[in-house]
Amino acid sequence: MSTAVQRTAIELTPSLGERVRRASRASGRVLRREPTVLAGAVILGIMAFLAIFSPLLTTSDYTRVDPVNRLIAPGGAYWFGSDAAGRDVFDRTIAGARLSLLVGFAVAAITTIAGTTIALVVGYSRALDNVVMRFVDGLLAFPTILLALALIALLGQSVNNVIIALSITGTASKIRLVRGLVLTLRETAYVDAARGMGSRLPRILIVHIAPNTMNLVIVQATFTLAAAILAEASLSFLGAGTPEYIPSWGNIVAAGQGLVQRAFWISFFPGAFLTLTVLAVVLIGDALRDYLDPKLRGSIVRSAQ
């Protein structure tokens, strides 16, 4: 292997750190140029602020039943009104933000790390590919919510079990997505050059293949975050997520579903928070996808000028 070929292989393969820096700079440029993305970032930032500081922002014991103050309309001491048990809907909604975002970010992180790691190994190894992908196909054959319901019924209701169930269902789709890109990357010239230079498998995967999957992984992580928040809310709404005494947007909406005509605010405010949060994440994900796609990057830059 000539020195020129070795130099070419190194130059064509940016490091993982360089890929992360490029993605960070791209994110900053997108936020400056795209008003919708900036709006999404502001909304998500507000929701994250409320979630982080919810213990300081809540002013009542939102788990204590207070029949005297039940079904009070929004205003005065109850900004978002009170529910059928006399609990402050504002405090419960803020507390629900903490749980929903915790589940969303945890599931997004676990599925991204686990799914990408497994996909790198499986996509590169033809022997493992035939075995692991059949198992993945079996998981993908079940609807996500039904599989999550079955897992929670087996494990029991708790925040940790919701994260585990959604991570299992989400990792399968992440493996299939990233594995398809790895199948293409393993046949590229710079990977052939790395093999010719005697690079070991871990180095090929970490240095030569993984950095080139970062664009896809980053974009899909945002959509996984949105999907996980919605899935957690759906499970809690169905009574299979977190226990009722732990506020989440899903079970707060469920608590007010029979009182929509009399006390719409019980379901309206947590539902609005859920909608705004998911919308913000999707706006950011769409913009990142368009910007990180070389085919669309030029049109985005021209429109921003």
Side-chain angles (χ1 to χ4, degrees), residues 10 29 34 36 74 89 109 167 295:
I10 295 173
R29 288 193 291 268
E34 296 293 321
T36 56
V89 176
S167 296
K295 297 179 182 178

Side-chain angles (χ1 to χ4, degrees), residues 41 57 85 127 133 140 142 153 155-156 158 166 174 181-182 187 210 225 236 250 255 257 259 263 265 297 304:
L57 296 174
M133 290 311 298
L140 293 176
F142 292 92
L155 299 174
S158 72
L166 294 180
K174 190 78 64 180
L181 180 58
V182 174
E187 306 299 335
L225 171 60
S236 296
Q257 65 175 331
L259 300 168
W265 55 84
R297 185 180 304 167

Side-chain angles (χ1 to χ4, degrees), residues 19 50 113 118 138 179 181 299:
R19 281 280 178 171
L50 295 175
I113 296 172
I118 296 173
R179 170 249 187 192
L181 180 58
S299 62

